[in-house]
Amino acid sequence: MPKILRLSLLAILTISFNACTPSLPEIEKNLATERLLPLPVEVQIADGFAFPINANTPIYYSEEVVAPIAQKIAALIADLAGYDLTVAQGSMVPGAIFLNLDTLAAVDNDEAYQMKISQTNLQITAPQTVGLFYGMQTLQQLLPLEIKDQTAIDTLLAIGAGTITDYPRFAYRGSMLDVARHFFDVTTVKTYIDYLAMYKMNVLHLHLSDDQGWRIEIKSWPKLTEIGGQTQVGGGPGGFYTQADYQEIVKYAADRFITIVPEIDMPGHTNAALVAYPELNCDNKARELYTGTHVGFSTFCTDKEVVYQFVDDVMKELAAITPGPYLHIGGDESHVTAKPDYIKFISRVQKIVNQYDKQLVGWDEVVLGDLESNAIAQYWSSAKNANTAAEKNLKVIMSPAKYAYLDMKYDTTTKLGLNWAGVIEVDKGYQWDPAALEEQLNDANILGVEAPLWSETVTNLEEIEYLVFPRLPGYAEVAWTPQSKRNWTEYRVRLAKQQGLFDQLGINYYRSSKVPWED
């Protein structure tokens, strides 16, 4: 599939009717057999015939704020079936798809939605527009991909009768894309955002700085990108985002109800900054550009005031272009920073972050600092640090490397990826409970789940896709679906039914032997 057509389809997946009662065909279809990912909280099958969609099906919405979602549904159906459906503000009438902003009884969750399907109507109701967006993603999965390019489709384009009531287990559901080890352009990041939106994930964490490259323009410190952004792992050309590029990414994500979490890693993983500005080193000597993958050798000079002025300037500029609530400061693997200096640095940097009305997020080592209660620890390695975070009443993001790192190999024969945390086949990536890994962690103190993709071994979108798919839908389900409803034996069948979507989008996915693919 040409890239332009492919991106157009991804964007579609994620942006007067006759007053008399129409004569609707009687189509039998079972809602229980669909390929829904993540699995909804509740699916009730109803007696009666399916809701048919044809060229005369209108899409009505309750208020103007819902119009963009209604238009995206119309575009999705147009892409599949060629129908140019009427889209307008109105009310539910026989034969229509209706999007309605309203409260949901007994569901106290801003991201919730309910879809009611009968032979005469398909209605999606949600308390917020984000819920309608997630309802749209569910509807997209209910539309049969096999109708594309067929002419006799009237009896195929139908949704089985029933009611879907759905809301997420965790508020934070995301992935990290490392653009520092290898740089990826705006178009690639947008495609990654579309993949997250397909599975109701709502966070993209961008790892914007590391030893190998600085990837975000900071106007008060221009050499960060002029010098620090000019290379990457293996010695390639590197690159960076202007602030305008970054704001374009932020807006694209927001249109899909995804929050961007920018990370500036410190005090370690800072060689690219130390090359650009020697005064950030204790000896005032510039470092050399670095294109390898060894970690833990770099650090800011935590005793120098210029370092904290630098951090303040960077956080100030980043906060101004980041509408989301979080700024990630890294904090991991700072092996050459003395522990007292590390503790002092983290504690002081949190005050800088808070000064700009943002919440500090850091890898689990940051719990060593004197953190305020709004700080968030991202558990990747140390169970002790994760439990300490709980003891300090801090929220925790679950990214345990041995289960959730997308850059780990599937098995020992996989060419791409690393294996320092072990290999992660599709079943291992799915079969873990965030609330059962450590003694003091539970649903109440877990903010959510994030699956990081570090980029030491990936250089382009096709390589990204190979490590991300088919594991990404599993992490989405870990974060969304109640633990009591998750079952690998059943999940692998639903995952196999994603094959048609992967193929239609041209996704370069790993054909795991654990999944019963169609061929």
Side-chain angles (χ1 to χ4, degrees):
M1 175 183 292
K3 285 289 183 186
I4 293 177
L5 292 178
R6 177 183 180 184
L7 292 174
S8 174
L9 177 57
L10 281 168
I12 288 170
L13 289 175
T14 66
I15 18 178
S16 78
F17 180 61
N18 190 332
C20 65
T21 301
S23 175
L24 299 173
E26 296 179 346
I27 302 170
E28 294 184 359
K29 196 168 187 181
N30 189 348
L31 193 62
T33 63
E34 301 295 349
R35 54 187 176 91
L36 296 179
L37 283 174
L39 185 69
V41 172
E42 184 177 24
V43 179
Q44 295 179 326
I45 310 304
D47 293 332
F49 295 105
F51 175 74
I53 300 174
N54 56 44
N56 296 317
T57 302
I59 302 175
Y60 290 150
Y61 52 87
S62 61
E63 46 201 281
E64 199 58 37
V65 69
V66 182
I69 298 173
Q71 293 288 356
K72 288 175 183 176
I73 293 175
L76 174 63
I77 293 170
D79 181 76
L80 283 175
Y83 297 151
D84 184 15
L85 302 185
T86 296
V87 179
Q89 188 170 1
S91 57
M92 186 169 65
V93 298
I97 296 172
F98 181 55
L99 305 182
N100 184 33
L101 274 182
D102 200 358
T103 57
L104 291 174
V107 180
D108 183 19
N109 191 303
D110 286 345
E111 294 182 289
Y113 69 93
Q114 186 173 75
M115 183 183 299
K116 293 185 177 181
I117 310 123
S118 68
Q119 185 185 10
T120 56
N121 286 107
L122 190 155
Q123 176 176 329
I124 306 174
T125 301
Q128 303 287 341
T129 52
V130 61
L132 294 177
F133 181 80
Y134 294 146
M136 181 194 76
Q137 298 298 346
T138 296
L139 176 60
Q140 179 267 321
Q141 293 188 16
L142 293 172
L143 295 172
L145 293 173
E146 62 270 20
I147 71 171
K148 193 171 178 66
D149 300 325
Q150 294 187 24
T151 55
I153 61 176
D154 284 349
T155 60
L156 294 175
L157 189 51
I159 311 297
T163 300
I164 297 172
T165 303
D166 206 9
Y167 49 89
R169 177 183 180 185
F170 295 115
Y172 185 113
R173 308 175 305 280
S175 180
M176 187 211 75
L177 181 62
D178 173 16
V179 299
R181 269 53 176 270
H182 282 101
F183 178 70
F184 303 106
D185 63 17
V186 172
T187 298
T188 300
V189 176
K190 286 181 176 180
T191 302
Y192 203 79
I193 289 169
D194 287 326
Y195 291 153
L196 300 182
M198 284 163 53
Y199 296 106
K200 304 183 178 72
M201 300 180 94
N202 63 356
V203 174
L204 174 60
H205 168 185
L206 288 175
H207 184 74
L208 291 168
S209 71
D210 214 298
D211 293 316
Q212 298 85 353
W214 186 284
R215 306 304 183 201
I216 181 67
E217 175 190 22
I218 301 299
K219 293 180 179 180
S220 58
W221 297 76
K223 292 180 183 179
L224 289 170
T225 49
E226 292 172 5
I227 297 175
Q230 63 182 319
T231 192
Q232 59 187 14
V233 166
F240 66 92
Y241 307 116
T242 66
Q243 291 193 8
D245 291 335
Y246 178 80
Q247 288 173 294
E248 182 180 344
I249 291 170
V250 167
K251 183 181 185 306
Y252 191 87
D255 288 345
R256 289 148 183 81
F257 298 92
I258 289 175
T259 297
I260 297 297
V261 176
E263 178 187 351
I264 302 298
D265 208 346
M266 51 184 155
H269 288 280
T270 46
N271 191 75
L274 301 176
V275 172
Y277 290 98
E279 61 266 39
L280 302 178
N281 291 295
C282 287
D283 59 9
N284 294 314
K285 294 180 180 179
R287 301 303 186 251
E288 298 294 327
L289 289 170
Y290 181 66
T291 61
T293 58
H294 178 68
V295 301
F297 61 89
S298 60
T299 184
F300 285 146
C301 190
T302 59
D303 287 335
K304 297 178 75 171
E305 280 303 309
V306 67
V307 167
Y308 297 100
Q309 184 59 56
F310 169 83
V311 173
D312 192 296
D313 290 341
V314 171
M315 294 295 104
K316 179 180 179 179
E317 290 193 35
L318 202 52
I321 56 177
T322 302
Y326 310 117
L327 292 180
H328 202 303
I329 67 160
D332 61 316
E333 299 176 320
S334 198
H335 301 320
V336 297
T337 312
K339 185 175 179 180
D341 293 338
Y342 177 87
I343 293 171
K344 175 183 67 176
F345 179 85
I346 295 298
S347 302
R348 188 165 172 182
V349 168
Q350 178 173 41
K351 291 180 174 60
I352 295 172
V353 171
N354 288 348
Q355 176 182 324
Y356 296 108
D357 297 321
K358 301 295 183 183
Q359 288 180 259
L360 178 145
V361 184
W363 300 104
D364 59 52
E365 292 95 322
V366 299
V367 301
L368 298 175
D370 183 18
L371 297 177
E372 297 180 26
S373 60
N374 68 338
I376 299 165
Q378 186 162 3
Y379 171 34
W380 72 281
S381 177
S382 170
K384 180 180 179 181
N385 287 340
N387 287 321
T388 298
E391 291 170 2
K392 291 185 174 184
N393 294 316
L394 305 178
K395 290 287 188 179
V396 178
I397 297 168
M398 299 298 290
S399 301
K402 62 184 178 180
Y403 293 108
Y405 268 30
L406 285 161
D407 54 300
M408 291 299 107
K409 294 174 177 284
Y410 291 98
D411 59 33
T412 56
T413 67
T414 307
K415 292 182 179 180
L416 294 173
L418 303 172
N419 61 7
W420 60 264
V423 296
I424 304 177
E425 245 292 2
V426 180
D427 56 344
K428 183 179 179 182
Y430 179 81
Q431 293 186 97
W432 62 287
D433 177 4
L437 286 188
E438 307 302 340
E439 181 180 356
Q440 297 192 45
L441 295 182
N442 53 56
D443 278 33
N445 54 30
I446 294 174
L447 182 63
V449 174
E450 180 181 292
L453 177 64
W454 301 98
S455 66
E456 286 94 337
T457 69
V458 293
T459 64
N460 55 52
L461 180 60
E462 286 72 21
E463 292 174 348
I464 287 173
E465 289 171 344
Y466 186 79
L467 290 177
V468 169
F469 288 99
R471 289 185 287 201
L472 183 69
Y475 294 124
E477 185 152 308
V478 169
W480 182 282
T481 305
Q483 179 65 26
S484 61
K485 291 184 173 293
R486 296 203 298 114
N487 177 281
W488 164 252
T489 301
E490 183 272 336
Y491 169 77
R492 65 194 287 270
V493 175
R494 281 185 290 116
L495 179 60
K497 292 182 180 181
Q498 297 289 299
Q499 181 177 1
L501 179 62
F502 297 164
D503 291 341
Q504 191 176 102
L505 295 176
I507 291 174
N508 179 36
Y509 63 99
Y510 168 70
R511 293 178 62 86
S512 170
S513 62
K514 305 282 186 177
V515 181
W517 308 109
E518 293 181 1
D519 52 46

PDB file of all heavy atoms in Angstrom, residues 61-87:
ATOM      1  N   TYR A  61     -25.745  13.907  15.616  1.00  0.00           N
ATOM      2  CA  TYR A  61     -25.046  14.132  16.869  1.00  0.00           C
ATOM      3  C   TYR A  61     -25.802  15.159  17.695  1.00  0.00           C
ATOM      4  O   TYR A  61     -26.500  16.027  17.167  1.00  0.00           O
ATOM      5  CB  TYR A  61     -23.605  14.573  16.632  1.00  0.00           C
ATOM      6  CG  TYR A  61     -23.441  15.745  15.687  1.00  0.00           C
ATOM      7  CD1 TYR A  61     -23.507  17.057  16.146  1.00  0.00           C
ATOM      8  CD2 TYR A  61     -23.223  15.528  14.328  1.00  0.00           C
ATOM      9  CE1 TYR A  61     -23.353  18.128  15.285  1.00  0.00           C
ATOM     10  CE2 TYR A  61     -23.078  16.591  13.444  1.00  0.00           C
ATOM     11  CZ  TYR A  61     -23.134  17.895  13.932  1.00  0.00           C
ATOM     12  OH  TYR A  61     -22.980  18.952  13.070  1.00  0.00           O
ATOM     13  N   SER A  62     -25.639  15.063  19.026  1.00  0.00           N
ATOM     14  CA  SER A  62     -26.474  15.841  19.938  1.00  0.00           C
ATOM     15  C   SER A  62     -26.055  17.301  20.036  1.00  0.00           C
ATOM     16  O   SER A  62     -26.894  18.169  20.280  1.00  0.00           O
ATOM     17  CB  SER A  62     -26.449  15.207  21.332  1.00  0.00           C
ATOM     18  OG  SER A  62     -25.123  15.193  21.845  1.00  0.00           O
ATOM     19  N   GLU A  63     -24.768  17.593  19.885  1.00  0.00           N
ATOM     20  CA  GLU A  63     -24.303  18.976  19.991  1.00  0.00           C
ATOM     21  C   GLU A  63     -23.033  19.159  19.173  1.00  0.00           C
ATOM     22  O   GLU A  63     -22.347  18.196  18.823  1.00  0.00           O
ATOM     23  CB  GLU A  63     -24.074  19.362  21.445  1.00  0.00           C
ATOM     24  CG  GLU A  63     -23.321  18.356  22.273  1.00  0.00           C
ATOM     25  CD  GLU A  63     -23.581  18.555  23.757  1.00  0.00           C
ATOM     26  OE1 GLU A  63     -22.972  19.473  24.337  1.00  0.00           O
ATOM     27  OE2 GLU A  63     -24.387  17.784  24.333  1.00  0.00           O
ATOM     28  N   GLU A  64     -22.713  20.423  18.897  1.00  0.00           N
ATOM     29  CA  GLU A  64     -21.708  20.727  17.879  1.00  0.00           C
ATOM     30  C   GLU A  64     -20.323  20.200  18.227  1.00  0.00           C
ATOM     31  O   GLU A  64     -19.543  19.860  17.338  1.00  0.00           O
ATOM     32  CB  GLU A  64     -21.655  22.245  17.655  1.00  0.00           C
ATOM     33  CG  GLU A  64     -21.020  22.656  16.335  1.00  0.00           C
ATOM     34  CD  GLU A  64     -21.731  22.056  15.119  1.00  0.00           C
ATOM     35  OE1 GLU A  64     -22.972  21.955  15.149  1.00  0.00           O
ATOM     36  OE2 GLU A  64     -21.028  21.680  14.155  1.00  0.00           O
ATOM     37  N   VAL A  65     -19.995  20.108  19.510  1.00  0.00           N
ATOM     38  CA  VAL A  65     -18.674  19.636  19.893  1.00  0.00           C
ATOM     39  C   VAL A  65     -18.421  18.205  19.442  1.00  0.00           C
ATOM     40  O   VAL A  65     -17.274  17.764  19.311  1.00  0.00           O
ATOM     41  CB  VAL A  65     -18.487  19.767  21.427  1.00  0.00           C
ATOM     42  CG1 VAL A  65     -19.360  18.783  22.180  1.00  0.00           C
ATOM     43  CG2 VAL A  65     -17.029  19.617  21.806  1.00  0.00           C
ATOM     44  N   VAL A  66     -19.491  17.478  19.154  1.00  0.00           N
ATOM     45  CA  VAL A  66     -19.383  16.077  18.746  1.00  0.00           C
ATOM     46  C   VAL A  66     -19.183  15.946  17.231  1.00  0.00           C
ATOM     47  O   VAL A  66     -18.816  14.891  16.723  1.00  0.00           O
ATOM     48  CB  VAL A  66     -20.643  15.295  19.189  1.00  0.00           C
ATOM     49  CG1 VAL A  66     -20.548  13.824  18.819  1.00  0.00           C
ATOM     50  CG2 VAL A  66     -20.841  15.440  20.690  1.00  0.00           C
ATOM     51  N   ALA A  67     -19.384  17.022  16.498  1.00  0.00           N
ATOM     52  CA  ALA A  67     -19.347  16.967  15.037  1.00  0.00           C
ATOM     53  C   ALA A  67     -18.071  16.343  14.470  1.00  0.00           C
ATOM     54  O   ALA A  67     -18.153  15.532  13.537  1.00  0.00           O
ATOM     55  CB  ALA A  67     -19.564  18.366  14.460  1.00  0.00           C
ATOM     56  N   PRO A  68     -16.864  16.675  14.978  1.00  0.00           N
ATOM     57  CA  PRO A  68     -15.663  16.064  14.401  1.00  0.00           C
ATOM     58  C   PRO A  68     -15.646  14.543  14.478  1.00  0.00           C
ATOM     59  O   PRO A  68     -15.158  13.871  13.561  1.00  0.00           O
ATOM     60  CB  PRO A  68     -14.527  16.682  15.234  1.00  0.00           C
ATOM     61  CG  PRO A  68     -15.076  17.979  15.721  1.00  0.00           C
ATOM     62  CD  PRO A  68     -16.527  17.700  15.993  1.00  0.00           C
ATOM     63  N   ILE A  69     -16.177  13.985  15.567  1.00  0.00           N
ATOM     64  CA  ILE A  69     -16.203  12.526  15.696  1.00  0.00           C
ATOM     65  C   ILE A  69     -17.208  11.932  14.718  1.00  0.00           C
ATOM     66  O   ILE A  69     -16.939  10.904  14.083  1.00  0.00           O
ATOM     67  CB  ILE A  69     -16.520  12.126  17.148  1.00  0.00           C
ATOM     68  CG1 ILE A  69     -15.415  12.642  18.073  1.00  0.00           C
ATOM     69  CG2 ILE A  69     -16.664  10.607  17.285  1.00  0.00           C
ATOM     70  CD1 ILE A  69     -15.693  12.460  19.538  1.00  0.00           C
ATOM     71  N   ALA A  70     -18.367  12.584  14.567  1.00  0.00           N
ATOM     72  CA  ALA A  70     -19.351  12.114  13.590  1.00  0.00           C
ATOM     73  C   ALA A  70     -18.761  12.131  12.186  1.00  0.00           C
ATOM     74  O   ALA A  70     -18.980  11.197  11.397  1.00  0.00           O
ATOM     75  CB  ALA A  70     -20.600  12.988  13.664  1.00  0.00           C
ATOM     76  N   GLN A  71     -18.001  13.167  11.860  1.00  0.00           N
ATOM     77  CA  GLN A  71     -17.381  13.257  10.540  1.00  0.00           C
ATOM     78  C   GLN A  71     -16.343  12.146  10.339  1.00  0.00           C
ATOM     79  O   GLN A  71     -16.208  11.590   9.244  1.00  0.00           O
ATOM     80  CB  GLN A  71     -16.723  14.628  10.366  1.00  0.00           C
ATOM     81  CG  GLN A  71     -17.688  15.800  10.309  1.00  0.00           C
ATOM     82  CD  GLN A  71     -18.481  15.860   9.008  1.00  0.00           C
ATOM     83  OE1 GLN A  71     -18.269  15.069   8.087  1.00  0.00           O
ATOM     84  NE2 GLN A  71     -19.412  16.811   8.940  1.00  0.00           N
ATOM     85  N   LYS A  72     -15.623  11.798  11.391  1.00  0.00           N
ATOM     86  CA  LYS A  72     -14.631  10.726  11.283  1.00  0.00           C
ATOM     87  C   LYS A  72     -15.307   9.374  11.047  1.00  0.00           C
ATOM     88  O   LYS A  72     -14.800   8.543  10.292  1.00  0.00           O
ATOM     89  CB  LYS A  72     -13.765  10.684  12.547  1.00  0.00           C
ATOM     90  CG  LYS A  72     -12.791  11.842  12.639  1.00  0.00           C
ATOM     91  CD  LYS A  72     -12.039  11.831  13.959  1.00  0.00           C
ATOM     92  CE  LYS A  72     -11.114  13.031  14.072  1.00  0.00           C
ATOM     93  NZ  LYS A  72     -10.433  13.112  15.372  1.00  0.00           N
ATOM     94  N   ILE A  73     -16.452   9.158  11.708  1.00  0.00           N
ATOM     95  CA  ILE A  73     -17.190   7.915  11.465  1.00  0.00           C
ATOM     96  C   ILE A  73     -17.671   7.861  10.025  1.00  0.00           C
ATOM     97  O   ILE A  73     -17.578   6.820   9.351  1.00  0.00           O
ATOM     98  CB  ILE A  73     -18.374   7.791  12.449  1.00  0.00           C
ATOM     99  CG1 ILE A  73     -17.855   7.598  13.877  1.00  0.00           C
ATOM    100  CG2 ILE A  73     -19.292   6.630  12.051  1.00  0.00           C
ATOM    101  CD1 ILE A  73     -18.938   7.588  14.934  1.00  0.00           C
ATOM    102  N   ALA A  74     -18.165   8.978   9.521  1.00  0.00           N
ATOM    103  CA  ALA A  74     -18.621   9.033   8.129  1.00  0.00           C
ATOM    104  C   ALA A  74     -17.457   8.752   7.178  1.00  0.00           C
ATOM    105  O   ALA A  74     -17.613   8.033   6.177  1.00  0.00           O
ATOM    106  CB  ALA A  74     -19.242  10.391   7.833  1.00  0.00           C
ATOM    107  N   ALA A  75     -16.277   9.308   7.481  1.00  0.00           N
ATOM    108  CA  ALA A  75     -15.114   9.087   6.629  1.00  0.00           C
ATOM    109  C   ALA A  75     -14.671   7.631   6.657  1.00  0.00           C
ATOM    110  O   ALA A  75     -14.265   7.063   5.637  1.00  0.00           O
ATOM    111  CB  ALA A  75     -13.972  10.002   7.072  1.00  0.00           C
ATOM    112  N   LEU A  76     -14.759   7.021   7.819  1.00  0.00           N
ATOM    113  CA  LEU A  76     -14.407   5.605   7.951  1.00  0.00           C
ATOM    114  C   LEU A  76     -15.324   4.738   7.088  1.00  0.00           C
ATOM    115  O   LEU A  76     -14.865   3.856   6.354  1.00  0.00           O
ATOM    116  CB  LEU A  76     -14.504   5.196   9.412  1.00  0.00           C
ATOM    117  CG  LEU A  76     -14.321   3.719   9.747  1.00  0.00           C
ATOM    118  CD1 LEU A  76     -12.928   3.269   9.378  1.00  0.00           C
ATOM    119  CD2 LEU A  76     -14.595   3.477  11.222  1.00  0.00           C
ATOM    120  N   ILE A  77     -16.623   4.988   7.172  1.00  0.00           N
ATOM    121  CA  ILE A  77     -17.583   4.211   6.385  1.00  0.00           C
ATOM    122  C   ILE A  77     -17.422   4.492   4.897  1.00  0.00           C
ATOM    123  O   ILE A  77     -17.523   3.591   4.055  1.00  0.00           O
ATOM    124  CB  ILE A  77     -19.018   4.507   6.867  1.00  0.00           C
ATOM    125  CG1 ILE A  77     -19.194   3.969   8.302  1.00  0.00           C
ATOM    126  CG2 ILE A  77     -20.061   3.866   5.946  1.00  0.00           C
ATOM    127  CD1 ILE A  77     -20.480   4.398   8.970  1.00  0.00           C
ATOM    128  N   ALA A  78     -17.122   5.732   4.558  1.00  0.00           N
ATOM    129  CA  ALA A  78     -16.889   6.069   3.158  1.00  0.00           C
ATOM    130  C   ALA A  78     -15.683   5.317   2.613  1.00  0.00           C
ATOM    131  O   ALA A  78     -15.698   4.839   1.463  1.00  0.00           O
ATOM    132  CB  ALA A  78     -16.681   7.577   3.014  1.00  0.00           C
ATOM    133  N   ASP A  79     -14.641   5.188   3.413  1.00  0.00           N
ATOM    134  CA  ASP A  79     -13.444   4.475   2.971  1.00  0.00           C
ATOM    135  C   ASP A  79     -13.729   2.990   2.756  1.00  0.00           C
ATOM    136  O   ASP A  79     -13.230   2.379   1.807  1.00  0.00           O
ATOM    137  CB  ASP A  79     -12.335   4.652   3.998  1.00  0.00           C
ATOM    138  CG  ASP A  79     -11.056   3.954   3.583  1.00  0.00           C
ATOM    139  OD1 ASP A  79     -10.352   4.491   2.704  1.00  0.00           O
ATOM    140  OD2 ASP A  79     -10.759   2.869   4.127  1.00  0.00           O
ATOM    141  N   LEU A  80     -14.541   2.415   3.637  1.00  0.00           N
ATOM    142  CA  LEU A  80     -14.838   0.988   3.528  1.00  0.00           C
ATOM    143  C   LEU A  80     -15.839   0.685   2.419  1.00  0.00           C
ATOM    144  O   LEU A  80     -15.665  -0.268   1.649  1.00  0.00           O
ATOM    145  CB  LEU A  80     -15.383   0.464   4.858  1.00  0.00           C
ATOM    146  CG  LEU A  80     -14.375   0.213   5.978  1.00  0.00           C
ATOM    147  CD1 LEU A  80     -15.097  -0.187   7.247  1.00  0.00           C
ATOM    148  CD2 LEU A  80     -13.376  -0.852   5.569  1.00  0.00           C
ATOM    149  N   ALA A  81     -16.906   1.499   2.353  1.00  0.00           N
ATOM    150  CA  ALA A  81     -18.038   1.134   1.495  1.00  0.00           C
ATOM    151  C   ALA A  81     -18.325   2.128   0.374  1.00  0.00           C
ATOM    152  O   ALA A  81     -19.154   1.846  -0.489  1.00  0.00           O
ATOM    153  CB  ALA A  81     -19.297   0.978   2.351  1.00  0.00           C
ATOM    154  N   GLY A  82     -17.689   3.285   0.413  1.00  0.00           N
ATOM    155  CA  GLY A  82     -17.946   4.274  -0.623  1.00  0.00           C
ATOM    156  C   GLY A  82     -19.196   5.097  -0.397  1.00  0.00           C
ATOM    157  O   GLY A  82     -19.601   5.858  -1.280  1.00  0.00           O
ATOM    158  N   TYR A  83     -19.818   4.980   0.759  1.00  0.00           N
ATOM    159  CA  TYR A  83     -21.044   5.723   1.048  1.00  0.00           C
ATOM    160  C   TYR A  83     -20.714   7.166   1.455  1.00  0.00           C
ATOM    161  O   TYR A  83     -19.807   7.389   2.263  1.00  0.00           O
ATOM    162  CB  TYR A  83     -21.833   5.082   2.185  1.00  0.00           C
ATOM    163  CG  TYR A  83     -22.347   3.690   1.911  1.00  0.00           C
ATOM    164  CD1 TYR A  83     -22.534   2.783   2.958  1.00  0.00           C
ATOM    165  CD2 TYR A  83     -22.654   3.273   0.618  1.00  0.00           C
ATOM    166  CE1 TYR A  83     -23.011   1.506   2.739  1.00  0.00           C
ATOM    167  CE2 TYR A  83     -23.138   1.995   0.388  1.00  0.00           C
ATOM    168  CZ  TYR A  83     -23.308   1.120   1.445  1.00  0.00           C
ATOM    169  OH  TYR A  83     -23.781  -0.144   1.216  1.00  0.00           O
ATOM    170  N   ASP A  84     -21.465   8.111   0.956  1.00  0.00           N
ATOM    171  CA  ASP A  84     -21.356   9.510   1.352  1.00  0.00           C
ATOM    172  C   ASP A  84     -22.531   9.814   2.275  1.00  0.00           C
ATOM    173  O   ASP A  84     -23.584  10.280   1.849  1.00  0.00           O
ATOM    174  CB  ASP A  84     -21.377  10.414   0.111  1.00  0.00           C
ATOM    175  CG  ASP A  84     -21.177  11.884   0.465  1.00  0.00           C
ATOM    176  OD1 ASP A  84     -20.749  12.159   1.596  1.00  0.00           O
ATOM    177  OD2 ASP A  84     -21.463  12.749  -0.394  1.00  0.00           O
ATOM    178  N   LEU A  85     -22.349   9.533   3.573  1.00  0.00           N
ATOM    179  CA  LEU A  85     -23.452   9.619   4.515  1.00  0.00           C
ATOM    180  C   LEU A  85     -23.712  11.064   4.955  1.00  0.00           C
ATOM    181  O   LEU A  85     -22.798  11.867   5.079  1.00  0.00           O
ATOM    182  CB  LEU A  85     -23.169   8.764   5.747  1.00  0.00           C
ATOM    183  CG  LEU A  85     -22.923   7.268   5.508  1.00  0.00           C
ATOM    184  CD1 LEU A  85     -22.788   6.538   6.845  1.00  0.00           C
ATOM    185  CD2 LEU A  85     -24.022   6.647   4.669  1.00  0.00           C
ATOM    186  N   THR A  86     -24.971  11.348   5.225  1.00  0.00           N
ATOM    187  CA  THR A  86     -25.367  12.636   5.787  1.00  0.00           C
ATOM    188  C   THR A  86     -24.895  12.720   7.230  1.00  0.00           C
ATOM    189  O   THR A  86     -25.093  11.792   8.021  1.00  0.00           O
ATOM    190  CB  THR A  86     -26.897  12.793   5.739  1.00  0.00           C
ATOM    191  OG1 THR A  86     -27.309  12.818   4.381  1.00  0.00           O
ATOM    192  CG2 THR A  86     -27.333  14.077   6.435  1.00  0.00           C
ATOM    193  N   VAL A  87     -24.282  13.838   7.592  1.00  0.00           N
ATOM    194  CA  VAL A  87     -23.836  14.084   8.964  1.00  0.00           C
ATOM    195  C   VAL A  87     -24.402  15.428   9.402  1.00  0.00           C
ATOM    196  O   VAL A  87     -24.163  16.450   8.749  1.00  0.00           O
ATOM    197  CB  VAL A  87     -22.299  14.100   9.063  1.00  0.00           C
ATOM    198  CG1 VAL A  87     -21.860  14.390  10.498  1.00  0.00           C
ATOM    199  CG2 VAL A  87     -21.709  12.787   8.576  1.00  0.00           C
TER     200      VAL A  87
END
